[in-house]
Amino acid sequence: EVQFTFATGDVTMDDFKFDLYEALELKCDAQTEDIKKAYRRLALKHHPDHNGGVQSELFLNIKIAYDVLIDDDKRRNYDAFHGSKEFVRDRRPLSAKEAAWLVDQQKRSWGVKDIHPFAVCILCESCPCPADGVCYACGMTFCQMCVRKMHCNGKTQPHYPCRNSTAFSQKLEQDGKEKERERKLLKGSDNKWLMHDEDFRHQRDVYRYRANNDAPEMCHYWAWGQTKYTVHLAVWLGSPDCDADISFATDDEGKQRIAIKPTGLPQLFDRAFAHRVDEARAGDALFFAHMHCTTFCLAKALPGERWLRLFEGDTDGFREFPLCGWPHTVSEEQVDGFKPINHYRIAGRKDSASEWHEVSVMVPIPDLAERRHVSARITTNAIEVNVKGWMAWYRRLQKRTVKWEDHHTSRTHVDTTNSTWLLTHNTKGEKCVQFVLAQWMEGANKNQESAIRRQLEKDANRMLLEDADPFYMYELVECEMFLRAGAVFKPRSKLSKAAITLMDEMEKHEEREGRSKAELRKSPFADMWMDEVDEDRIVLREEDGGEIEEAADWWSSCRAAELEEWCEEVYEQQQREADRRAAALKSAHEAEQRAAAAALARHETEEEEASRRRKEQMKQNRALAAAHQAALKQGRPPETPLEKVMGAVEAREAAASAARANPPQPKLIGPSVVSSPPTAASDAATGAEGEAFWGLNQCGYWFEDNGESVKVSVPLGAVCPAELPKDSATATFGHFSVRLEVRLADGMHVLSLPELMYQVDPDRCTCKVRPSSKRVILVLAKLDPKVKWKKLSAL
């Protein structure tokens, strides 16, 4: 055993026969100043000089206590490791400095110069690292790496290291005893149905413990099933004499209730039926004292009605015997391979590091169900699926225990924070909700992989609390249904092996008790199906059961009819929603059309108003520009320039408008003789050899940019007093030039623009004559419609 010594003397921790804090009359949370004051006061009182020179033991204790508690490291070591364990406050891991100090003290006390640090350190019981704490729950030592990892030494259940209370260790120890009793029961004797041995007494205590604590595992003690005409309930009774107080009543709300309380034990349940039972027909019960269980057979008030649940408040299929197999499936797959046995974190240990598994729970839903119909939820201890109007499925998660080759156990844990769900299809092509749950547990070496995998596959459904059946209630319900309503249940050959074994045991027990086993086959409600069924429908077989119909066929047909009704309702709802969407789209389209028409009318009105205002403004500006030009011609320039009166742009537009309204007279150009035909590249070209022409470059023409084309207006009112002939104008277009020739009575008039600002498409350019307005319109097709023309000619 390792002892820790202090530098102030040779006194070890085990030599402290007194409490250091009581020696100084202090509490465990005393501060340094309090320790100094208490030492001065007590040392002055008990000093040898005040006691006749005699050094008392009390004074030595005061001095030792002061030397230890005044030093922070020594005091921390005393609080953490002194033998009484009554004054422990902070059982935190030791720091590197504290660990080094402890090693130094060992060297001094042993009188050696060099010693390996591990030789003086207590090792962690979970790994080969130095320990820095002791768990109060089980007494195991742990290190800094294992402080957040569950451990177990067989005396208690797996738990995290506990530092500050002994009550938790007592609770864990008691829980461990209860779990050990459960393990013995599950292991059982050769005949698992006979519970009169010591295991039954253990399980009776477990029943009492769970009932007093309202544990959810109480659902393990009962199960139920149904046929077309009857409902069957199986209950495990914890009373030694297999007796119980069973009562049927109707409460103030008119609900039918059943209460079961085993003799000498807490009540199992007091619940209201979710559907009506036939009160005119008394239910029948069978008690099996050698199995400590009982069964009930009740008649349905509405024969042929499929019960979704037995009691109010339960979800669909809660503890119901599956006539057509489990509606959901549970599978498990290891997502992280087993670690090698020589891994540095697990070398020398009985088990390896934690392993991650992926658990998949598939819950079928109707194929017509959409995402808006389905709501799924994963909580800390349950998973839930709700399909609106069809099903409400709910299962709680429970931890499972895995047994290893060296007989130690470890529990599985589901990490719901890293779990998810999705809509998918199973191997049968059915639409379903898939829960993907992340589960971890203690791993094993490669040699144990196959054994653990078989164990997990065998206990797959035990992961869901409502599906787990440690007391074989489902097999008991199956036997009850076959014995009491076999004609409408199923043939004997289709029973499960466990149910056949149980039924054989029941029949043997009846023979041992001197009773006829035919009494077990009496059906109290046989007249219900015999009155409704013709003799032609009865099937004669060599074996018993299923002569009239099989419950699975009836259950499937009822479910198919309900599913078809639900699908029709969903389809009608989809049609109504589609009609509503179409009506909404049509209404929105009509509203958009009305809004567009109103916006167009408003825009036209605004454009007309803006055009009217522009025309008035242009008229005013034209008048001002004309007056300004007249004043300039008379030699009386205005005091304010025209640009300041109306702006530079408006002034130029007004001047151009005034010029168009009063164009100057054409300027006569002398005759020219050319030897080549006319071209659009020169103003000197003539229409015919030796012919004179008039130039229209100063006639006041203007242009407008219309987006894809440029409109050039050439006024000819000043040179053509009569009506302008339609065929009098011809134009020649180039990529960067245009030439207009107008033949009138007084001669040829020519407008030549040899250098256009941008390139045009000659093939699409046109020339139009407006006889009434005495104008010629040149439409120049742009080669690049995106270019905005601000000038017509580059010259």
Side-chain angles (χ1 to χ4, degrees):
E1 182 180 359
V2 179
Q3 293 182 343
F4 299 91
T5 57
F6 300 99
T8 55
D10 296 333
V11 182
T12 63
M13 288 173 49
D14 294 340
D15 293 333
F16 288 121
K17 304 301 181 181
F18 62 94
D19 184 8
L20 302 186
Y21 291 100
E22 290 182 359
L24 295 178
E25 299 179 0
L26 295 173
K27 295 182 179 180
C28 297
D29 57 350
Q31 304 296 326
T32 304
E33 294 298 329
D34 299 334
I35 295 174
K36 292 181 180 180
K37 292 180 181 179
Y39 174 71
R40 294 192 190 99
R41 177 174 54 81
L42 294 175
L44 184 63
K45 180 179 179 181
H46 299 286
H47 197 273
D49 294 343
H50 296 80
N51 294 315
V54 179
Q55 185 174 355
S56 63
E57 183 179 358
L58 181 60
F59 179 74
L60 293 176
N61 293 344
I62 293 173
K63 186 176 183 303
I64 293 174
Y66 175 75
D67 292 338
V68 173
L69 298 181
I70 199 62
D71 189 298
D72 293 339
D73 293 336
K74 299 177 184 179
R75 182 182 180 183
R76 187 180 299 111
N77 184 66
Y78 171 77
D79 291 340
F81 294 100
H82 74 286
S84 63
K85 297 186 180 179
E86 296 178 359
F87 307 97
V88 176
R89 302 187 318 277
D90 182 18
R91 296 183 64 85
R92 62 173 182 78
L94 295 178
S95 64
K97 179 180 178 182
E98 295 165 347
W101 179 83
L102 289 175
V103 172
D104 292 341
Q105 301 309 310
Q106 290 295 326
K107 291 179 180 179
R108 294 181 183 179
S109 62
W110 291 354
V112 294
K113 296 183 179 180
D114 189 13
I115 185 171
H116 195 277
F118 280 12
V120 296
C121 292
I122 301 176
L123 298 182
C124 174
E125 295 186 34
S126 299
C127 71
C129 298
D132 50 17
V134 179
C135 177
Y136 267 165
C138 60
M140 292 179 61
T141 57
F142 56 88
C143 62
Q144 293 184 2
M145 289 184 288
C146 297
V147 70
R148 292 189 178 182
K149 183 177 180 180
M150 300 180 71
H151 63 209
C152 176
N153 60 357
K155 299 179 181 178
T156 59
Q157 291 300 300
H159 60 281
Y160 291 98
C162 182
R163 295 176 178 273
N164 53 4
S165 175
T166 58
F168 186 61
S169 64
Q170 298 174 0
K171 180 178 181 300
L172 287 177
E173 185 176 358
Q174 183 65 24
D175 292 345
K177 294 179 180 179
E178 298 293 343
K179 294 298 180 181
E180 180 65 18
R181 292 170 184 172
E182 290 188 7
R183 187 189 67 79
K184 290 181 179 179
L185 175 64
L186 294 179
K187 181 180 179 181
S189 58
D190 296 336
N191 189 349
K192 61 186 177 184
W193 303 107
L194 300 180
M195 301 180 180
H196 57 271
D197 54 0
E198 185 180 3
D199 287 336
F200 164 72
R201 293 193 294 271
H202 292 324
Q203 188 53 39
R204 182 182 57 191
D205 297 339
V206 175
Y207 174 95
R208 182 184 292 107
Y209 172 79
R210 287 174 171 172
N212 291 332
N213 291 276
D214 296 328
E217 292 86 355
M218 288 300 293
C219 66
H220 291 167
Y221 296 96
W222 62 275
W224 70 284
Q226 61 176 322
T227 64
K228 183 177 180 180
Y229 306 93
T230 57
V231 175
H232 304 265
L233 175 64
V235 180
W236 188 88
L237 301 177
S239 57
D241 55 356
C242 190
D243 191 11
D245 297 331
I246 304 173
S247 62
F248 292 87
T250 303
D251 58 13
D252 298 337
E253 299 179 358
K255 299 179 180 180
Q256 298 172 330
R257 305 184 68 89
I258 179 175
I260 299 179
K261 183 182 182 302
T263 304
L265 293 176
Q267 183 170 265
L268 179 60
F269 54 71
D270 182 6
R271 305 288 299 277
F273 287 106
H275 301 267
R276 302 291 297 180
V277 298
D278 190 354
E279 297 180 352
R281 294 176 177 270
D284 192 18
L286 290 178
F287 288 88
F288 302 97
H290 63 295
M291 299 179 183
H292 303 284
C293 59
T294 183
T295 60
F296 300 90
C297 181
L298 304 174
K300 291 184 178 179
L302 299 175
E305 179 187 14
R306 186 174 76 98
W307 287 23
L308 299 178
R309 58 190 68 86
L310 182 62
F311 298 128
E312 286 188 350
D314 294 341
T315 55
D316 296 352
F318 185 88
R319 298 296 294 175
E320 180 185 5
F321 172 73
L323 292 173
C324 299
W326 292 102
H328 53 273
T329 59
V330 181
S331 60
E332 190 165 2
E333 180 182 1
Q334 190 176 29
V335 296
D336 190 10
F338 284 91
K339 302 292 190 306
I341 197 62
N342 57 354
H343 192 269
Y344 73 97
R345 287 286 291 122
I346 59 176
R349 295 174 54 187
K350 292 185 291 185
D351 52 351
S352 66
S354 299
E355 305 292 345
W356 283 98
H357 290 250
E358 188 176 271
V359 181
S360 177
V361 182
M362 309 282 282
V363 183
I365 61 176
D367 292 337
L368 201 59
E370 300 177 354
R371 179 61 184 87
R372 56 193 177 91
H373 298 127
V374 181
S375 63
R377 192 161 60 101
I378 301 176
T379 62
T380 55
N381 60 348
I383 53 180
E384 180 180 359
V385 177
N386 286 285
V387 179
K388 188 177 181 181
W390 172 246
M391 64 176 292
W393 184 88
Y394 177 85
R395 292 294 185 272
R396 284 170 290 191
L397 304 174
Q398 66 173 349
K399 299 176 182 179
R400 294 173 295 164
T401 302
V402 180
K403 301 177 183 178
W404 307 97
E405 292 181 353
D406 57 356
H407 304 293
H408 82 281
T409 59
S410 59
R411 303 182 70 182
T412 61
H413 305 270
V414 176
D415 184 7
T416 55
T417 58
N418 292 324
S419 303
T420 185
W421 68 273
L422 67 154
L423 292 177
T424 182
H425 291 79
N426 57 18
T427 55
K428 299 179 181 179
E430 299 173 338
K431 194 172 186 179
C432 61
V433 175
Q434 180 182 9
F435 292 95
V436 182
L437 307 177
Q439 175 185 261
W440 67 270
M441 68 175 182
E442 292 294 327
N445 58 36
K446 190 67 176 178
N447 297 331
Q448 297 176 338
E449 179 178 2
S450 58
I452 297 303
R453 191 178 305 280
R454 288 194 300 270
Q455 186 178 166
L456 293 176
E457 291 176 355
K458 179 181 177 181
D459 299 340
N461 275 352
R462 293 190 61 190
M463 180 180 180
L464 305 180
L465 181 65
E466 286 75 11
D467 297 341
D469 190 25
F471 306 106
Y472 311 98
M473 290 292 101
Y474 288 124
E475 286 81 359
L476 186 59
V477 167
E478 189 177 3
C479 290
E480 158 73 14
M481 296 173 69
F482 179 78
L483 294 174
R484 315 305 294 277
V488 291
F489 181 45
K490 59 182 176 181
R492 185 186 183 100
S493 60
K494 294 186 178 180
L495 296 176
S496 63
K497 294 182 179 179
I500 293 177
T501 304
L502 174 60
M503 193 158 50
D504 293 340
E505 175 61 32
M506 289 179 177
E507 294 175 351
K508 292 178 182 178
H509 184 270
E510 291 298 313
E511 293 179 352
R512 288 194 299 266
E513 296 293 329
R515 295 187 294 266
S516 174
K517 62 181 181 181
E519 295 293 331
L520 292 174
R521 300 296 306 274
K522 284 187 178 181
S523 178
F525 308 121
D527 59 320
M528 295 181 65
W529 52 80
M530 295 303 297
D531 293 342
E532 296 183 7
V533 178
D534 299 332
E535 294 183 0
D536 297 337
R537 290 184 53 187
I538 299 178
V539 180
L540 299 179
R541 296 191 179 94
E542 296 181 356
E543 57 181 351
D544 298 333
E547 293 84 1
I548 297 177
E549 66 175 353
E550 294 191 19
D553 298 337
W554 162 79
W555 192 90
S556 300
S557 61
C558 290
R559 186 179 183 277
E562 295 172 1
L563 179 60
E564 183 179 359
E565 182 180 355
W566 182 83
C567 291
E568 290 179 357
E569 183 180 352
V570 171
Y571 180 74
E572 293 176 359
Q573 183 182 3
Q574 291 177 350
Q575 288 296 115
R576 291 193 297 268
E577 291 179 356
D579 295 341
R580 285 197 297 268
R581 285 195 297 268
L585 290 175
K586 182 178 179 181
S587 177
H589 182 65
E590 293 176 354
E592 290 178 358
Q593 289 181 342
R594 291 194 298 270
L600 180 61
R602 185 168 57 254
H603 179 71
E604 291 177 352
T605 304
E606 293 176 354
E607 286 293 329
E608 291 177 359
E609 181 65 22
S611 177
R612 185 185 62 79
R613 290 196 298 267
R614 284 196 303 269
K615 289 180 180 179
E616 293 179 357
Q617 186 65 36
M618 289 179 64
K619 186 176 180 181
Q620 295 177 5
N621 293 344
R622 189 164 55 247
L624 290 175
H628 185 78
Q629 292 293 337
L632 289 177
K633 290 180 180 180
Q634 294 176 5
R636 295 182 291 100
E639 297 180 358
T640 305
L642 190 63
E643 289 78 3
K644 293 186 178 181
V645 174
M646 62 183 69
V649 177
E650 288 79 2
R652 287 196 296 270
E653 291 181 355
S657 178
R660 289 194 295 269
N662 300 299
Q665 294 295 328
K667 180 180 179 182
L668 181 63
I669 301 177
S672 302
V673 180
V674 297
S675 58
S676 59
T679 63
S682 176
D683 285 341
T686 60
E689 186 175 349
E691 182 182 1
F693 59 85
W694 301 87
L696 295 176
N697 288 41
Q698 302 294 328
C699 68
Y701 66 89
W702 70 92
F703 75 97
E704 300 177 12
D705 192 335
N706 294 331
E708 295 185 355
S709 62
V710 177
K711 178 182 177 182
V712 180
S713 300
V714 182
L716 299 174
V719 298
C720 183
E723 185 176 354
L724 184 64
K726 290 185 177 182
D727 55 351
S728 59
T730 58
T732 305
F733 301 96
H735 287 286
F736 286 96
S737 62
V738 61
R739 178 183 175 87
L740 174 64
E741 297 179 356
V742 182
R743 185 174 295 279
L744 299 176
D746 57 348
M748 179 71 71
H749 296 263
V750 178
L751 174 62
S752 179
L753 300 174
E755 293 291 340
L756 295 178
M757 192 67 186
Y758 300 100
Q759 188 177 3
V760 299
D761 187 358
D763 298 335
R764 295 190 294 118
C765 296
T766 58
C767 175
K768 302 178 182 179
V769 179
R770 298 288 185 264
S772 59
S773 60
K774 300 179 181 181
R775 291 186 301 161
V776 176
I777 306 299
L778 299 176
V779 180
L780 307 179
K782 295 181 181 180
L783 195 62
D784 187 2
K786 297 181 181 179
V787 177
K788 184 73 174 178
W789 286 36
K790 297 184 178 180
K791 291 180 64 178
L792 183 62
S793 177
L795 299 178

